Amino acid sequence: MIVLGVDPGLAHTGWGVVETRGAMCRARAYGCVATKADEPIARRLGKIYDELTRVISKFGPTALSIENVYFGENTKSAIATAQARGVAIVACANAGLEVGEYTPMQIKQAVVGTGAADKRQVMYMVKNVLALDHEPHPDHAADALAAAVCHANLARTVSLGEARRSLT
């Protein structure tokens, strides 16, 4: 399975592509789409859409794993993040990808083992889980890889459960 993980944001949208074969999970590529605050919103969202469409075309994922928006005290930031998230989902829906949505706590739990993990812990575990020789940067790309790992792990768990049920 090939999973595209996305950490949405208007200024920085992280993306990471992870491939799984059985229990093995490896990063194929990762990066970050950066947009400038002085650009019109339509241009910024268009850039996110175009870059994610290019990534989808190049790596052929079958699933999207995307972080849900956390609506804290900064509503303006949450709205901008939600717009970037929507663009990412549309790009993936247009390509026919299955969509998995996870909270930041679920992603951290799946990768680190605790939903209260900090960014350094996530980067460290992503490096180890994916057998990278370095911690992925920027942190938005590391978060996107973590989202992809989360989806891959949950999909594998569901698949094993279905296989066990079919044997009984």
Side-chain angles (χ1 to χ4, degrees):
M1 169 182 2
I2 300 174
V3 180
L4 170 62
V6 173
D7 177 36
L10 186 57
H12 299 98
T13 292
W15 61 269
V17 179
V18 168
E19 183 173 4
T20 63
R21 291 182 189 206
M24 184 200 72
C25 193
R26 296 291 178 255
R28 293 193 59 197
Y30 60 88
C32 188
V33 182
T35 67
K36 297 178 183 172
D38 62 349
E39 292 179 317
I41 186 79
R43 183 168 299 167
R44 295 175 80 184
L45 294 172
K47 183 176 182 182
I48 294 167
Y49 178 88
D50 291 344
E51 285 295 313
L52 291 179
T53 299
R54 182 189 62 75
V55 168
I56 293 164
S57 177
K58 183 173 183 177
F59 296 102
T62 56
L64 163 68
S65 178
I66 192 163
E67 192 173 296
N68 282 329
V69 177
Y70 172 71
F71 282 94
E73 293 181 19
N74 190 344
T75 320
K76 184 177 180 182
S77 172
I79 291 170
T81 300
Q83 289 174 316
R85 184 175 181 279
V87 165
I89 291 171
V90 169
C92 293
N94 284 346
L97 275 64
E98 162 196 325
V99 177
E101 302 175 81
Y102 306 97
T103 66
M105 186 175 283
Q106 287 174 307
I107 293 169
K108 291 174 184 179
Q109 178 72 40
V111 176
V112 180
T114 175
D118 64 27
K119 289 220 178 264
R120 296 292 312 154
Q121 290 171 307
V122 171
M123 291 172 79
Y124 176 81
M125 287 305 295
V126 165
K127 173 189 176 223
N128 287 304
V129 168
L130 297 175
L132 297 171
D133 61 1
H134 60 281
E135 289 182 353
H137 286 90
D139 60 345
H140 303 289
D143 289 346
L145 286 167
V149 168
C150 173
H151 185 82
N153 286 345
L154 291 173
R156 186 171 40 253
T157 301
V158 168
S159 177
L160 289 171
E162 290 172 353
R164 284 187 186 143
R165 279 191 296 279
S166 71
L167 295 175
T168 58

